[in-house]
Structures are given as structure tokens and as C-alpha cells.
Amino acid sequence: MTQVAFFLRTALNNLRRGGQRALVALLCVTFGVMSLTAMMLLSGTLENLLVLQPHEMVGADISMERAGDGAILPEHQRALDALRAEGVLTHYTLVGYTSSLAVRLPGSGELRFPGAGIGIDPAAYPPIGTITVSGAGSAGLPTLLAGAGDVLISNDLALTYDLAVGDRLVLSDLSVGAALDATVRGIVTDTPNHRGSKLYYNLDTAQALAGGAHALNTALVTSADPAAAAVKLEADGWRVFLATDLAYQDSQTQSFMTAMLNGAGVLGLLVGGVGIANTMQVLMRRRQREISIWKSLGYRGGHMLVLFGLEAGLLGLAGSLLGAGLGVALSLRLLDLFTRTSTMLVRWTVRYDALLLAALAGTATTLIFALWAIVRSSRARPLALLRGEDQPASELPWMAVLALLLALALPFLAVISLIMKSWQQAVLVLLLALAGLVGLGGGLALLLKVVLWLLPLRALPLFHMARGSLRRRGLTPVFALVALFVGVVTLSLSAVVTQNASAIDEAAALDVQGPNLSVLSPAAEESAALRAVQARQPESVSVGYDIPVRSIVVEGAEDEVFAPLLVARSDPGEFMLRGAAWGSRPDGVYVANLAGLPEGGRLVVTLWDGTRRSLPVVGSYTADFSTLFRPELGVLLPVELGRSLRALDTPGSGQVRVMARFAPARLSAAAASLGADLPGMTVVNHVAYAARFTRAYHDLFLLAVSMAGLAL
């Protein structure tokens, strides 16, 4: 039998007889590798989602909208055709994009709020890339979105709302209010930028959701020279977003998230390494007599390193394999929590290179952190061990201590560099971790000494013995204190933040000031909506119009452009006014205080039929937009003036909003009954709308608590 085989068999026997201490060391390795594996798999999945070619960000080279107009009109399309004929543009397609889409099931008044509704030309969208649809067979987008009301829904929304192909929906744009029956024709499993929370439909559907108004507001463009095309387009009045700029921002986000996730995994590995070092010190101390016998038989320090190194290596390998397997399962759970807090269409894959790296890192970390205890024990004198004398590591020559620290730090730094994919980041993580451990450990050690000195334990023999034991154990209790402190503080902080966030969210939802219910409909149906609301005997009722117009500019300074929206109200409600009293200037308007336009100025409003009206600015307004339902920084004006502008007579150019306040106990019932009685309108419970982020917040903090649990 060779010497290595003998040492290997001896190491295996020692591990089998190791008992609790060996099990604790195994668990330390398992925890570190499990944490590292989960973080690496999660960061690798996110890297695939976030590291995109620039055109994948928007499905084109350029995304753009009109700088001062509320929509893309036929004359703008003719200008784009001319640029395409000149060769400035290669191709373009127009899109009707809205972030105010609401979805409900037929017969239900409960609204859902997806991230975006996108009206597209199915034959031309997207200009670059593809949309992957499941449940559609070989049918393409033109077939799936052939009729008005045909929709495709992203997979994340289908899972959240429990929808399938063929299900019926009712859609409405909150800026218009008209309801539209729709049918799910397919489930979108991937988009060019891998983002979800979207509904796709054709341009006829977009036009119907807009109430007949101009629905096209975004152009997606391809060009041989996007930068040069952007200069020309901006000069023609377009607000341009280059895909290269958006991709750069996403790559920065991805780099940060990858560094943070991998760094968290490295910290977990480091915490496991500290536990290994602590446990190995105890194991080696318990085996002093065994070591003295080995050395008395003639085995030297090198033999001790091989023997106990094999033992640590086998322990690390077993724990690493177990941790890698558990890390795969953990990454699935963390990824599920992550997808609930984002709109990404995540497709999880196992990266075998990450599993191999995590297992190697765990084995190497076990060896590295165990070597300190092994080297210290292997240098001890047999006679001192037989007498039971302690041989502290501080008795090593300082040069040997420095060399040992360097020998341990360099391999661990190499391991971290492979994980972080950057030796600079590895050095930073290692230095921060060491500084944190040294600072925290020093503070806790000092606190422990103060507590042991202050507590009157002499009258209690058992406690007195415990204090003496703690004093004699040196740094061993400090490692335990650091681990407990980090885990408990992190877990407590996450729990407190979760509770506070939930309390704040509930308070914001329940403390809705002013109206707590709105009925949204096209302006022509104002009377029907008002009668239905008044029949429920609310505490108060008011009426308002949101009137999109073609443009709003400052008279005499046409380059100062306002959002093309008039906000007409029968009373100012939550808007706090400065300037003329409400109703004293029926021909005047109020602008947002942030606009900085002084009283006495004038605004030129251009309606969709080309009519221009010059309106005096008689004051400004401020509001707590966090308490308002769908706040808009439009131009505020009395409802009578809104009616007189005749924009409401143009089909689709305005929305009536009947706002009411009900007692909290009656609010849900009133919303449900109104939703049933007004199927062609949109009834919004403001409390439910304010709470639409509750689930996302809950899942986000559940993710935080899960990570804190790993730290513990």
C-alpha cells in the first residue's frame, strides 16, 4: 500500500469518526457552495436577459415620438416616407403605445394593470428581432392579430392572471375609459428585449381603445447610420432614443447586478470558510494526542499537511457536491421570487460551468481555510502535545505567519477572481469582507469582554465557569458572534422593512383623500355615468375631463412646449392653487408650479381640427401626486371652459371622469355594482388602484427575507 493510499484511507476513517464536528464542517461547506451556486446561476440568467445587442432593446435602431405633438399624424408619416426615400431611414413602423391599459374579466369589476399595451402592424413589427408565441401553432402575427379585439399576452401576465388561449377579456385605456371586448389568441414567451407585462394587438384595436382618436404615438426606425439619422430626425421635431444608449444603460445595470449577486455568493462562501476554520481548529485540538503519536512515529509536518489536507479536501468535495445540488434548487426558488418583482420573461437554464466552478471553489476554500489549523498543529512538538500544553499560532515566527497568510490569501483571491470575472472586483470584495470581519469581530470581542467583566456572575457557579471558558477560548467565540450578528441583524432588518413597507402601503391605500372612486367613459356618455353614480348616494360627486389636444405652447415662445393635455375639473379637488381664486377667471388656466410660467402669460392650444385658442395663465397649482388617481401634469382649467373648447365634440378626443367619494365600508360594493351596470365604461376603485404594487412589494421583500435567511 502506498503512503498516499494509506493517508487517504486514514482520512476517510477519520471523517467517519468525526461525529458532530465533521458534520458541522460539512454543513459550512454546503452552505457556502449552495449560496454561491444559487447566486451564480441567478446572475448568469440575468446576464442572458440584460446583455443585449442594441437593436434588441426596442426591436429597432431608434425609438422616437413627436416632441410637441400628442400623436403621429398623417403629415408626420409623409415626412418619414420622404426620409426613407432619401435613404436616411431604411424602414419604419408605427406603434400605438399606452402605459394606462386596464384589463378585467367579463362580468367582473376587478381591474388589472399590465405594464404596457402595444398596438402594432402585425406584418411589420418588430423591425428587428421576433416575438415568440406559444399555443399558436404555425400562425404568424398577421393571422393571430387579424381582427379587432385579438390580443397576445405575455407569459408573466398569463401566469399571474391565470389566462389561456381563447379566454375572453375586457380592455380599456384609462385615458379614455371606453371598454372593448378582447380574446387571447396567443401567449408571448419572448420579445426582442425579453421584457414582459405587455399586451399586443393590431392598430384597429388601438384605435378603438383610444375612442377613435389618433392612437399612433411611437415610431420604430432602422437606419444604416442611426446617429446621423437621429440628428436629422431631432431637427424635424422628433424626440429620439437611440438603441445604443439604452443598451449601454442596461449593460451598466447588468454589470452592477452581476457583481452584487456574485459578491453575495462569495460572501456566503467566505462565511462558510470562517465556519470551516473555526470547526477545524476544534477538530485539530481534539486530536492533539493523535498528532503526537504520528509525530512520535517519525511523520513530519509535511506528512501532517498531506494527511489532514486529504481529510479537508474530501470534506470540501462532499460538501461542495451537496451544496451545488441544493444551489440548483435554491436558484429556481430565488428566480421565481425575482420574476415576480420584475417584468422579465425569464428562461432558467443550468450552467454546468457554474456548477463545476462552485464545486471547485468550495473544495479549494475548505482546503485554504483548514490549512491554518493544520499548519499550526503540524508544527507542534510531540512532547508538548503529550503534556497537554497549548501551542498557539502566535508562536510561529512572524515571517512564517506572513508567508502562511499570503499563501492562503492568494489561492482564495484566485478563486474569487474566477467567480467575479475580474481580479479588481475580487480584491475589492475580499478587502471589504476582511475589513468588515475585522471591524465587526473587534467590536464584538470588546463587547464580550465588557459584558463578562460587568455581569455579577461570581455567585452563580455555572455561569462563572462559562465566563472562564469564554475567556480561555480566544477568538473562537468571536467567529460565532460575527455569524450570529450578521444573520440576525440582516433577517431582522428585512422583517422590519417588510412590515414597514406593508404598513405604509396599507396606510396609503386606506388614506385616500378626496374621491375614492372614478367612472371613466367617453365624454358623450357623461350623463349616464353621472346618473349611475348619483343613484348610489355618494358623499360627494364631481366631474372632470381629460382632453388630449394636438399641442400646447407658450405664446411668443413656441419652443416652450407643454404636455398636450387639458385637465378640466368642476372643482380643484386635491389641486392646491396659487393666483386667481377658482371660478374668478372662467377663461383662465393654471399650469403646474414646476413649469415656472408666471401669471399673465398666455398659452396657445391647438385642437385636433386645427383650431387655435389663446388662453391666459391666471395661476399655478401643486398637488401630492402620490395621492391622486393617474395624475397628469396637464393644464388645469374649469370644466365650463373645457366644454367650450369643443374638443369634446370630436369623437375620441376627450374622456369624462365622474369622481365620487363613498364611505370606506361601501366602496367595494359600489365599485362592483357600477362595474356590472356600466359594462361599456371603466370603474376604478382608487384604493385597489393604489394597492396594485402590494404583491410586487410583498414578493420583493420575500426575496430580501430569503437572502437574509441564507445569511443567518
Side-chain angles (χ1 to χ4, degrees):
M1 179 183 295
T2 64
Q3 191 176 66
V4 173
F6 172 70
F7 282 162
L8 181 60
R9 189 179 71 175
T10 303
L12 289 171
N13 289 331
N14 287 336
L15 287 175
R16 282 196 293 266
R17 295 194 301 265
Q20 269 188 342
R21 296 295 179 180
L23 179 61
V24 169
L26 180 69
L27 292 177
C28 288
V29 180
T30 300
F31 157 76
V33 176
M34 178 183 68
S35 175
L36 178 62
T37 301
M39 293 298 105
M40 291 180 67
L41 290 177
L42 184 57
S43 67
T45 299
L46 296 183
E47 184 175 0
N48 293 334
L49 295 174
L50 294 173
V51 179
L52 305 172
Q53 295 297 320
H55 58 258
E56 293 178 313
M57 290 301 303
V58 293
D61 296 320
I62 298 172
S63 174
M64 60 188 191
E65 59 189 22
R66 294 299 301 174
D69 300 302
I72 298 175
L73 303 177
E75 55 263 36
H76 304 143
Q77 297 182 47
R78 289 192 291 270
L80 291 177
D81 291 335
L83 291 175
R84 183 170 56 184
E86 295 174 13
V88 176
L89 309 181
T90 305
H91 176 72
Y92 78 87
T93 185
L94 302 181
V95 171
Y97 179 93
T98 178
S99 59
S100 57
L101 191 68
V103 179
R104 59 184 171 91
L105 297 177
S108 171
E110 183 182 3
L111 295 178
R112 305 285 187 173
F113 306 97
I118 307 176
I120 64 173
D121 177 357
Y125 183 90
I128 302 177
T130 59
I131 294 178
T132 305
V133 183
S134 68
S138 59
L141 294 185
T143 301
L144 295 173
L145 300 179
D150 292 340
V151 300
L152 303 177
I153 186 170
S154 60
N155 188 57
D156 57 324
L157 293 179
L159 293 175
T160 302
Y161 303 157
D162 193 23
L163 296 173
V165 175
D167 285 350
R168 306 286 296 177
L169 299 173
V170 178
L171 309 181
S172 58
D173 191 324
L174 295 180
S175 63
V176 177
L180 175 70
D181 291 332
T183 304
V184 177
R185 298 301 184 188
I187 308 297
V188 176
T189 57
D190 201 11
T191 62
N193 64 353
H194 310 302
R195 300 296 198 276
S197 193
K198 298 173 182 174
L199 274 77
Y200 294 92
Y201 37 80
N202 63 24
L203 296 180
D204 290 336
T205 304
Q207 193 80 5
L209 286 171
H214 300 282
L216 301 176
N217 52 24
T218 303
L220 301 180
V221 174
T222 59
S223 173
D225 188 350
V231 174
K232 177 65 174 174
L233 290 166
E234 287 176 344
D236 288 348
W238 293 90
R239 185 181 293 112
V240 175
F241 304 94
L242 286 171
T244 50
D245 296 337
L246 298 175
Y248 175 76
Q249 295 172 8
D250 249 34
S251 67
Q252 296 295 102
T253 301
Q254 182 275 329
S255 298
F256 175 76
M257 293 181 66
T258 298
M260 293 300 294
L261 289 171
N262 286 343
V266 168
L267 289 178
L269 192 63
L270 183 60
V271 172
V274 171
I276 294 165
N278 190 22
T279 305
M280 289 301 294
Q281 286 186 34
V282 178
L283 283 173
M284 298 304 295
R285 184 171 296 181
R286 291 181 62 195
R287 296 165 67 179
Q288 287 181 347
R289 191 171 298 276
E290 177 187 343
I291 294 172
S292 68
I293 294 173
W294 282 107
K295 300 200 76 173
S296 298
L297 292 174
Y299 289 95
R300 299 180 179 178
H303 295 116
M304 297 296 97
L305 285 175
V306 174
L307 174 61
F308 294 113
L310 279 173
E311 188 174 329
L314 291 172
L315 185 69
L317 180 60
S320 297
L321 293 177
L322 178 59
L326 293 175
V328 172
L330 178 62
S331 69
L332 278 170
R333 178 57 180 160
L334 292 178
L335 193 61
D336 177 61
L337 291 174
F338 179 83
T339 53
R340 296 184 187 182
T341 63
S342 71
T343 60
M344 294 181 179
L345 297 175
V346 181
R347 287 189 289 184
W348 181 81
T349 56
V350 178
R351 291 178 51 204
Y352 294 100
D353 58 333
L355 295 180
L356 179 60
L357 179 57
L360 291 176
T363 305
T365 300
T366 305
L367 280 171
I368 292 167
F369 279 84
L371 276 177
W372 179 270
I374 295 172
V375 169
R376 169 181 143 170
S377 299
S378 66
R379 288 183 57 86
R381 298 184 300 274
L383 189 58
L385 292 174
L386 290 172
R387 290 174 177 171
E389 299 174 358
D390 195 16
Q391 182 84 6
S394 58
E395 292 186 4
L396 290 172
W398 71 269
M399 288 293 293
V401 172
L402 183 62
L404 181 58
L405 288 175
L406 188 63
L408 297 179
L410 289 179
F412 190 66
L413 181 61
V415 171
I416 298 176
S417 298
L418 289 175
I419 297 170
M420 301 297 295
K421 302 178 182 179
S422 167
W423 69 267
Q424 295 96 332
Q425 290 185 1
V427 170
L428 179 61
V429 169
L430 186 58
L431 290 178
L432 289 176
L434 291 177
L437 287 174
V438 170
L440 183 59
L444 291 174
L446 180 60
L447 179 62
L448 180 62
K449 286 188 176 182
V450 171
V451 170
L452 292 178
W453 179 70
L454 290 178
L455 288 179
L457 300 178
R458 294 185 180 277
L460 302 172
L462 291 178
F463 285 100
H464 183 65
M465 293 172 60
R467 178 169 64 179
S469 176
L470 287 173
R471 285 176 172 174
R472 291 191 300 270
R473 289 176 66 190
L475 292 177
T476 302
V478 177
F479 288 130
L481 284 174
V482 169
L484 287 172
F485 180 87
V486 171
V488 172
V489 167
T490 309
L491 188 59
S492 301
L493 180 62
S494 297
V496 169
V497 170
T498 302
Q499 292 176 355
N500 287 345
S502 299
I504 291 172
D505 189 66
E506 290 175 5
L510 295 176
D511 191 29
V512 174
Q513 301 298 316
N516 53 15
L517 181 143
S518 290
V519 177
L520 313 177
S521 73
E525 301 182 37
E526 175 184 348
S527 298
L530 189 58
R531 284 195 303 270
V533 171
Q534 289 175 334
R536 270 103 180 145
Q537 299 180 343
E539 295 177 358
S540 63
V541 179
S542 60
V543 176
Y545 303 110
D546 291 345
I547 310 169
V549 296
R550 181 164 181 174
S551 66
I552 303 176
V553 298
V554 177
E555 189 173 72
E558 279 67 22
D559 57 335
E560 296 186 34
V561 179
F562 282 71
L565 179 69
L566 300 178
V567 180
R569 294 290 183 265
S570 58
D571 62 67
E574 299 94 312
F575 294 100
M576 294 165 285
L577 305 181
R578 297 179 60 182
W582 184 260
S584 63
R585 292 288 305 275
D587 62 334
V589 299
Y590 300 80
V591 298
N593 189 51
L594 297 174
L597 187 64
E599 297 176 34
R602 301 187 73 87
L603 296 179
V604 177
V605 178
T606 303
L607 306 181
W608 289 111
D609 61 2
T611 303
R612 294 164 61 91
R613 288 283 300 273
S614 177
L615 303 175
V617 176
V618 299
S620 62
Y621 69 84
T622 58
D624 182 2
F625 287 97
S626 64
T627 64
L628 296 178
F629 166 64
R630 293 199 69 248
E632 299 281 1
L633 282 174
V635 174
L636 181 66
L637 69 162
V639 70
E640 294 80 7
L641 178 59
R643 290 191 178 111
S644 70
L645 291 176
R646 297 181 60 82
L648 297 175
D649 294 336
T650 303
S653 64
Q655 173 207 68
V656 65
R657 180 188 296 191
V658 178
M659 298 163 286
R661 179 168 184 83
F662 288 89
R666 298 181 54 218
L667 177 60
S668 296
S673 63
L674 283 168
D677 291 349
L678 303 173
M681 304 180 192
T682 302
V683 180
V684 182
N685 180 335
H686 293 194
V687 173
Y689 182 80
R692 65 195 184 281
F693 295 121
T694 300
R695 177 177 294 180
Y697 283 144
H698 175 269
D699 292 332
L700 177 62
F701 292 118
L702 185 59
L703 177 61
V705 170
S706 300
M707 300 307 299
L710 289 179
L712 180 61

